[in-house]
Amino acid sequence: MEIAIALGCSVGFTFGGLVFVAYKLGLLYQLFLHKVSHFCSPRHGGESVAEVLRAHGVKFVFTLVGGHISPILVACEKLGIRIVDTRHEATAVFAADAVARLSGTVGVAAVTAGPGLTNTVTAVKNAQMAESPLLLIGGAAATLLQGRGALQDIDQMSLFKPLCKFCASVRSVREIVPTMRKALAIAQSGTPGPVFIEFPIDTLYPFHLVSKEFGVKNPPKGLMGKVVTWYLHNHLKNLFAGAWETRDVSPLPVHIPQATDDQVQKCIELVSRAKKPVILLGSQATLPPTPTDDIRVALESLGIPCFLGGMSRGMLGRNSPLHIRQNRKCALMDADLVLLAGTVCDFRLSYGRVLNRRSKIIAVNRDKTQLLKNSDMFWKPNVAIQGDAGSFLLRLSKGLMGHKCPEDWPQRLKAGEVTKEKANRGKADEKTDCHLNPLSVLHRVDELMADDSIIVADGGDFVGSAAYIMRPRGPLRWLDPGAFGTLGVGGGFALGAKLCRPESEVWIIYGDGSLGYSVAEFDTFTRHKTPVIALVGNDACWSQISREQVPILGSNVACGLAFTGLYMLAYCTPSDTILGISNVDSKVNYMQ
């Protein structure tokens, strides 16, 4: 009896093992469900990628071309998706990031394997920290050649898993559609962010080409040779089994966390009792699905003074009495209620130390980690809501219909702002020893800028001053890197912005250091007929570093640059590119 049981178990394990091996080799899929058809068909995996992107409303794919991804680019072009090629892979991702912020769809960048992908790491990390929904498509070595020393073959998945919400490596053509749909939904759900899909080259090219490249031309003799030949033949068939069957390419549902009714009601009660409330609005408040115009109406209905940061700059227009630009630290210390709507207590708020411990604090954020960042040390929320900030503000406004913040509070803050800005304007009138006064330049540009302008901020010292002086005319008209503070976003952000809003002026405010990262993209602007205006503050120095390095360490080493021979303004037209530079005096270039 025991022998029979043991024998039965052995047979069972053996059978189970064989079934598992057959499953892994794709034999069951091929045998019972799907066959490889149309061996000579010109169809390829790139067509499946393009179909999913079109179904999801993607209008642009940014790229630096490579053979690994050529089928995707060609298929997208045939379906009417515009292919925009850049001079650096990081620029392609920055441009996709800008499209995601301005369009409400997922931004898409496609780059080739190996160094093409490694060049995007900084831009992908920037998108992660800025919470931009972005799809990075990467080429890869053929499935059978990975780990065997193929051209540009590295472990790409390990590189991007810490940076992306979702990573996948497509192993057969039939996986392309479901993997793409899943990735695009994840990119937009919860806290938006980048996702990455790796496409081995043999999943993108037609069967007959892959067969010709990887098939056995001179099979070895003997049993082992037959086994190897069978394995390669079966692997090839499994790659394309069920490849062209009809599949749903429509978008999957996107999950967006929302505040509960009880949480909203508690906040309504807190706000209604506040005498000196303040709202700090972050980029997250501009995320879909709530239209920014609806948020503006809600904020105006509440009547609460607002400090705007990141993508929310311009939310209240250029000269709103509720938008306070100066003296934020003093206002927070005096406030009796602070609403952090998508704003994080990181270095930008001194890790929460600028918040008055006597204030009631409401925090709303899609990301639980960001929602409670540093709350164990420097601050504590009275109400912490893991939910969408934009829709929360609409519900709060509706619940407080008829209630208004005491008018003397925003008027007092506005009066303090006027006093501070008059003092800063006085600095703009100071005479400089040489070159131009940068504050004067920025004031003049702000005055002449068109109402539909989009401002792209890329730099340190000069851009820091611009953030205090230049006033975005409306929502989604200011683009900066976000929490990562990345230099080099200018070319990509401007490219994506101009494509999304071709009727708008797009201004890049550069420092002379940051310009170097994307100056080659002026060729891209010209080739793709995307005219932008670039203003470069050139003080021949990494001034933001030098300002502290010299007095503390007594040396200006590595901080010095050089003046160029070009002056004042840069403008790129469809037919030519004129790069000009505003030489500025660093001594008056920094504003607190």
Side-chain angles (χ1 to χ4, degrees), residues 451-524:
D451 286 340
D452 67 347
S453 295
I454 297 173
I455 304 169
V456 175
D458 184 14
D461 212 50
F462 189 57
V463 172
S465 296
Y468 283 92
I469 293 172
M470 307 188 81
R471 299 170 182 258
R473 277 46 171 170
L476 303 179
R477 296 194 175 277
W478 173 278
L479 290 168
D480 63 29
F484 203 29
T486 309
L487 286 184
V489 302
F493 277 13
L495 178 63
K498 189 62 181 178
L499 289 168
C500 285
R501 308 275 177 82
E503 74 287 352
S504 297
E505 284 185 356
V506 175
W507 287 75
I508 314 175
I509 309 302
Y510 274 122
D512 52 332
S514 62
L515 171 67
Y517 286 91
S518 60
V519 67
E521 302 306 339
F522 282 83
D523 168 72
T524 304

Side-chain angles (χ1 to χ4, degrees), residues 9 104 116 124 142 226 280 329 349 375 392 420 436 504 583:
C9 290
V124 173
K226 292 180 180 179
L280 269 62
K329 183 177 179 179
L349 285 180
S375 64
F392 168 81
K420 181 71 175 289
L436 304 174
S504 297
N583 287 347

Side-chain angles (χ1 to χ4, degrees), residues 12-36:
F13 281 126
T14 301
F15 179 75
L18 291 173
V19 171
F20 178 75
V21 171
Y23 169 77
K24 295 297 288 182
L25 292 174
L27 295 174
L28 297 180
Y29 186 88
Q30 298 175 53
L31 180 62
F32 295 109
L33 300 173
H34 311 275
K35 300 287 185 181
V36 178

Side-chain angles (χ1 to χ4, degrees), residues 97-238:
D97 185 337
V99 167
R101 299 188 194 195
L102 296 180
S103 71
T105 59
V106 177
V108 180
V111 300
T112 198
L117 274 162
T118 59
N119 278 345
T120 69
V121 168
T122 297
V124 173
K125 183 63 183 181
N126 193 81
Q128 181 196 46
M129 295 187 67
E131 299 175 349
S132 296
L134 185 148
L135 169 62
L136 176 64
I137 293 172
T143 51
L144 279 178
L145 297 180
Q146 291 182 3
R148 297 180 181 274
L151 175 66
Q152 298 179 333
D153 179 31
I154 60 170
D155 182 3
Q156 298 173 162
M157 299 298 288
S158 295
L159 191 64
F160 285 93
K161 281 179 180 178
L163 307 178
C164 297
K165 295 180 65 181
F166 171 79
C167 291
S169 180
V170 171
R171 310 314 290 177
S172 65
V173 180
R174 62 181 176 271
E175 295 178 14
I176 292 176
V177 170
T179 303
M180 291 275 295
R181 294 176 74 209
K182 181 179 180 180
L184 288 163
I186 290 175
Q188 301 170 85
S189 293
T191 306
V195 293
F196 169 59
I197 304 178
E198 173 187 87
F199 288 89
I201 193 170
D202 49 350
T203 64
L204 292 178
Y205 280 84
F207 181 93
H208 66 278
L209 291 180
V210 176
S211 176
K212 182 179 179 181
E213 185 68 26
F214 300 107
V216 180
K217 300 176 179 60
N218 297 303
K221 298 180 180 179
L223 177 61
M224 185 55 66
K226 292 180 180 179
V227 169
V228 170
T229 300
W230 174 87
Y231 176 79
L232 293 174
H233 182 65
N234 177 75
H235 179 81
L236 184 60
K237 289 201 300 181
N238 186 51

